[in-house]
Amino acid sequence: MKYLSTRGHPDRKQFCEILLEGLAPDGGLYLPEKYPKLSANDLANLRHIWSEKGYADLAFAILSLYIDDIPSSDLLALCRKTYTEQVYGTKNIVPLKPLDDGVYLEALSNGPTLAFKDMAMQLLGNLFEYELERRGETLNIFGATSGDTGSAAEYAMRGKKGVRVF
């Protein structure tokens, strides 16, 4: 899968090429060149994966639609390393609480900083560590924020090989 800039830069890049970049060279955000189309059967399969195998395998199934330059076995291992009971305090990772007939409340604040951003940032920390090791590179991250985004990001990068957080 290729990614392009929202501001029109002509380059098309793979996921791992943009993972550590942040913004595109023209200051735009990266988006997939094409979005996968999911059938009703595909959605039913995703529901089955979540109910039978858990959140980590569901994350892997969805991410596999967008990341084709990390071997499947590695991506699955990264998802399973990220979405664990030890990190999220519950086996369900994102528990659902029934509110009414067919209406549920999803808990997204079970991560280590109690911010919904942990859902993505914990994975991103593991992806950074993985890709930096593949490249033989290191990364310095300077955090300066007063909100929960910065603390979730800094916590997710803490202790990752090849990453220094300041």
Side-chain angles (χ1 to χ4, degrees):
M1 171 165 290
K2 299 285 187 174
Y3 290 81
L4 55 87
S5 173
T6 55
R7 293 194 179 166
H9 194 275
D11 288 352
R12 302 296 188 262
K13 297 183 175 184
Q14 293 286 116
F15 177 80
C16 288
E17 291 177 287
I18 65 171
L19 176 62
L20 301 172
E21 266 188 47
L23 297 175
D26 59 2
L29 301 174
Y30 283 109
L31 295 174
E33 191 172 43
K34 296 177 190 172
Y35 285 92
K37 295 186 188 298
L38 298 176
S39 68
N41 285 341
D42 294 330
L43 294 174
N45 186 47
L46 291 174
R47 285 185 202 96
H48 175 77
I49 290 169
W50 188 11
S51 67
E52 295 299 316
K53 295 183 178 180
Y55 189 85
D57 284 38
L58 174 64
F60 165 73
I62 294 169
L63 290 168
S64 294
L65 300 171
Y66 296 90
I67 302 172
D68 57 9
D69 56 341
I70 294 177
S72 291
S73 59
D74 291 353
L75 185 57
L76 178 59
L78 288 165
C79 289
R80 287 180 175 170
K81 176 182 178 182
T82 300
Y83 300 111
T84 66
E85 184 174 357
Q86 293 74 29
V87 174
Y88 287 89
T90 175
K91 184 181 175 197
N92 294 330
I93 311 303
V94 287
L96 296 176
K97 178 182 179 183
L99 297 179
D100 201 357
D101 192 27
V103 178
Y104 297 86
L105 178 65
E106 184 176 45
L108 293 175
S109 59
N110 291 328
T113 70
L114 304 178
F116 75 89
K117 291 142 181 111
D118 288 326
M119 297 305 298
M121 295 310 302
Q122 289 295 308
L123 177 65
L124 195 59
N126 288 328
L127 285 166
F128 275 21
E129 182 178 59
Y130 174 86
E131 186 59 22
L132 287 167
E133 186 175 330
R134 279 203 318 184
R135 294 180 186 193
E137 296 177 3
T138 59
L139 178 68
N140 292 322
I141 297 176
F142 296 93
T145 181
S146 60
D148 60 355
T149 301
S151 59
E154 292 162 0
Y155 192 92
M157 300 301 158
R158 194 180 78 189
K160 300 296 182 208
K161 293 178 196 145
V163 178
R164 291 188 296 183
V165 179
F166 301 90

